[in-house]
Structures are given as structure tokens and as C-alpha cells.
Amino acid sequence: MSASQQQPGAGAVRAPASKVGLYAETSHAALRLSFATTDDDLARAIASHAGERVQRALDAIPRRRYVKQATPIERLDNLSALLGGAEMFVKRDDLLPLAGGGSKTRKLEYLVQAAIDAGADTLVTCGAVQSNHCRLTASAAARERLGCHLILEERVAGSYDPAAGGNNYTFGLLGATTAVVPAGGVPEEEARAMATLRAAGKRPFWIAGGGSTELGSLGYARAALEVVAHAREHGPFDAIVLCSGSGGTHAGMLAGLRAAGDRTPVVGISTRAAAPAQAAKILALARDTVSKLGLGGAGAGAVVGERDVVVLDEFVGPGYSLPTAEMAEAIELFAREESIFLDPVYTGS
Ligand SMILES: Cc1ncc(COP(=O)(O)O)c(C=O)c1O
């Protein structure tokens, strides 16, 4: 039935007055809600309208187009059967474009666009000695024909090995230069590297560690809408579990979900910080991300509340990136049961 065919009184809305108050917000919402027949329909209609608003806000902010389609959400049939309880699903962000896949591609869409808009010719960023973020920033730089300088922080003393494989090998392969600093040495080296590049006539652009600014976090607000769309078609999830490191993944996911009216609990697994400090960081970044989208309304605090932020720190083990037997077991389980490679620092933990 189109709007013009609709009869007065058709599709009576049975909902508490507070929900109907939202319905008057825009004519678009009113059009959708006029077909709602139950409280559930009403809640879905409000959420769908909110999701469209978030999508429009995200689309209005310029970005590079590395991500061509939503990453698949796959049911982990073997692991779900093996663990004998919850149905488990995985969003395959390991399949994202740029070299080797992984979460940072989504953030770099926005961050690299900002660099290009600022007239930059060199990306400068930092990470741990085997940083996925550094690999993907170098990869984006290569794709964009930009220079790239990586500051590698030796967070665990003695952990840097110039001959190491893995991400370390890809930095040079992708054309990036590197500088290695001890734990805590990034700000000083950042200032030095930026000044040196400028003195050489370059136009460097600084990307924060992990790309976790409110601009970078928009990439995970986009990912949240992919989850919302999937849930609308296939049913909701009871919880979303993700890694919480520099925080943009966690904060962006929360910001996107809550701004879209989706209340699915989000559980962040801290890879480094104690839970209270990590939760405070995520709350601030999620609210900044909502504000960046211009969707705060009465305030970003009304969109993402303190109770929305859940952080578990019991999987940090002896320290950031240090291997544990449980991590090794998780990696083996995912490989053997599902043919999926986890990484030892983040998804493995
Ligand atoms: C594979 C992977 N998953 C999750 C994360 C955590 O993301 P964030 O730094 O946004 O908290 C990272 C960070 O580097 C990562 O490399």
C-alpha cells in the first residue's frame, strides 16, 4: 500500500505515548509508522528510520572507497556444535580489502580521505612492532601513491626483530620507512619525524595509533549498519563480542548501533588496558563519534550511555601481545574447525 492509498485510521499504532512522541519527529518517520500494527512493528520502524538517518550522516562525510560491499556474517557451524551451546557467528572483517585484510581498512577510508583533502603526500602513523594498523596504513599509502613512515613502538622490551616475518616483513614490501622507539617513545618520535619530513619539503599527515579518532571510528559505525541490516533480515544477535584495543572498533560499533536504535549488548575484550580505563576511553570516543555524525540531538550522552560500555580485561594475560596457552588454543580451534586464521594479539585473545 502506498502512502496515497492509505486509509485514515488504517494500521492503528498501539504504543506507549513516549514512543509515539518519536513518531512525530519527521514526516519520513510518520509515513513508515503509519503502517505499524504492533509494538514490535513500531520499534522496528523507528529503528529502521534511525538506521537510514545514520547511513545518510555517514555518507555525507567524504571517504575513500576501499570497502566495496558488506563483509559476510557467517555461522560457525563446527564451533557452535563443538562448544555445545550458543550459536556463534563471525563477521569476516579479515576479508576486508587492502593488503592482508583486517579492521583498519574501514577506519582508513575516512582518515586517508582527510589526508588527501589536506594536501598530504606522506602518511605517518604508529603501532606495535607487528602492528596490523601499520601494515594497512602502508597498504593504503601504496594504493594512493603516498609516502608512508611508521613509528614502531617496542611495547615489550626486546620484542623488535628487524628480520621478523609477518607484518614486519610487509612494511618494507609496501614501501614504508620505519623507526623503532621504546615504550612511551611515540610522541617524541612523532614530532621529530613530522619536522624532518617537513624540512625535506614533504607534506606529512599524522594518523593516530590504530586510527582511533572519531573520524576513524566512523568506519565501524558503518560496520554497525551492516550488522543492523543483517539482523533485520535474519534475526537479532544476543551480543556482539569484539576486540577493544586503541578503541575505534568498539566505540564506532557502539556509536553506530545505538544511533541506529539497536540495543544489542556489545562486549569489548581488552587487549591491553584495565577495564575501567578502557571503558572510560570507549565511552568518550563513542560519544565523540556520535557528535561527529551530528546525531547527538539532546547530547551524545543520550545516545551512548555508561551502561552501554562493557569491557572485559581478564584476557589480557601477562601483558599486551604476550602469548598465552588459551590464545594458542583459540587460534588452533578456529583454524581447524572453521578454516579461519585469527591473529595472536587481537582476535586470538
Ligand atoms: C585484527 C584486529 N582486531 C581488532 C583490533 C582492535 O581494534 P581497535 O584498535 O580499534 O580497538 C585490532 C587493532 O589493531 C586488530 O588489528
Side-chain angles (χ1 to χ4, degrees):
M1 181 191 277
S2 74
S4 58
Q5 291 171 305
Q6 193 208 347
Q7 300 301 309
V13 176
R14 286 187 279 112
S18 60
K19 285 192 179 172
V20 177
L22 268 178
Y23 139 78
E25 200 175 275
T26 71
S27 56
H28 193 153
L31 176 70
R32 291 183 156 276
L33 293 178
S34 61
F35 299 106
T37 52
T38 67
D39 289 0
D40 279 355
D41 286 343
L42 179 64
R44 261 196 298 278
I46 290 170
S48 148
H49 169 65
E52 285 164 21
R53 225 163 49 113
V54 180
Q55 188 74 61
R56 278 197 302 275
L58 280 165
D59 289 345
I61 299 174
R63 71 183 198 282
R64 309 305 288 165
R65 307 293 172 116
Y66 305 135
V67 184
K68 308 287 186 213
Q69 60 204 12
T71 52
I73 293 180
E74 297 173 354
R75 188 176 188 278
L76 298 171
D77 291 333
N78 297 339
L79 265 181
S80 298
L82 187 79
L83 299 176
E87 264 188 291
M88 292 170 63
F89 296 80
V90 63
K91 184 155 177 62
R92 297 295 307 270
D93 273 18
D94 57 321
L95 303 179
L96 281 167
L98 296 180
S103 65
K104 300 302 185 277
T105 300
R106 294 186 185 273
K107 302 174 180 179
L108 287 163
E109 287 201 315
Y110 287 96
L111 296 165
V112 174
Q113 183 71 57
I116 291 169
D117 291 348
D121 60 12
T122 308
L123 304 179
V124 185
T125 195
C126 66
V129 295
Q130 282 285 6
S131 164
N132 294 320
H133 167 68
C134 285
R135 165 176 46 84
L136 285 165
T137 303
S139 173
R143 179 78 68 86
E144 303 286 0
R145 297 185 181 281
L146 298 170
C148 183
H149 181 67
L150 304 172
I151 301 172
L152 305 177
E153 184 185 15
E154 201 179 29
R155 293 178 189 168
V156 178
S159 63
Y160 178 67
D161 172 3
N167 286 334
N168 179 68
Y169 174 71
T170 68
F171 301 152
L173 195 61
L174 292 162
T177 55
T178 55
V180 184
V181 298
V186 170
E188 195 183 323
E189 176 60 20
E190 174 196 342
R192 200 199 61 77
M194 297 293 278
T196 305
L197 285 162
R198 286 195 189 104
K202 297 285 187 190
R203 293 187 303 280
F205 185 91
W206 173 249
I207 293 178
S212 288
T213 59
E214 59 270 34
L215 185 64
S217 300
L218 295 179
Y220 266 87
R222 291 193 86 80
L225 295 189
E226 294 176 16
V227 176
V228 169
H230 184 279
R232 198 170 295 142
E233 200 172 326
H234 302 281
F237 297 105
D238 296 316
I240 294 170
V241 182
L242 40 68
C243 298
S244 198
S246 64
T249 306
H250 190 172
M253 178 62 69
L254 256 186
L257 288 175
R258 297 300 184 263
D262 186 305
R263 308 290 319 160
T264 308
V266 177
V267 180
I269 307 297
S270 177
T271 48
R272 194 178 187 195
Q278 186 70 7
K281 179 167 85 171
I282 298 302
L283 183 63
L285 187 53
R287 287 176 171 174
D288 286 349
T289 306
V290 171
S291 300
K292 182 88 193 159
L293 283 168
L295 297 176
V303 178
V304 182
E306 268 177 51
R307 291 221 218 126
D308 288 316
V309 182
V310 179
V311 175
L312 303 183
D313 61 10
E314 60 252 48
F315 301 97
V316 174
Y320 175 81
S321 81
L322 295 175
T324 61
E326 293 86 352
M327 175 277 289
E329 189 187 356
I331 288 184
E332 276 177 27
L333 260 185
F334 264 78
R336 288 189 195 154
E337 298 295 330
E338 299 292 348
S339 215
I340 292 174
F341 294 141
L342 303 183
D343 94 295
V345 179
Y346 291 93
T347 44
S349 71

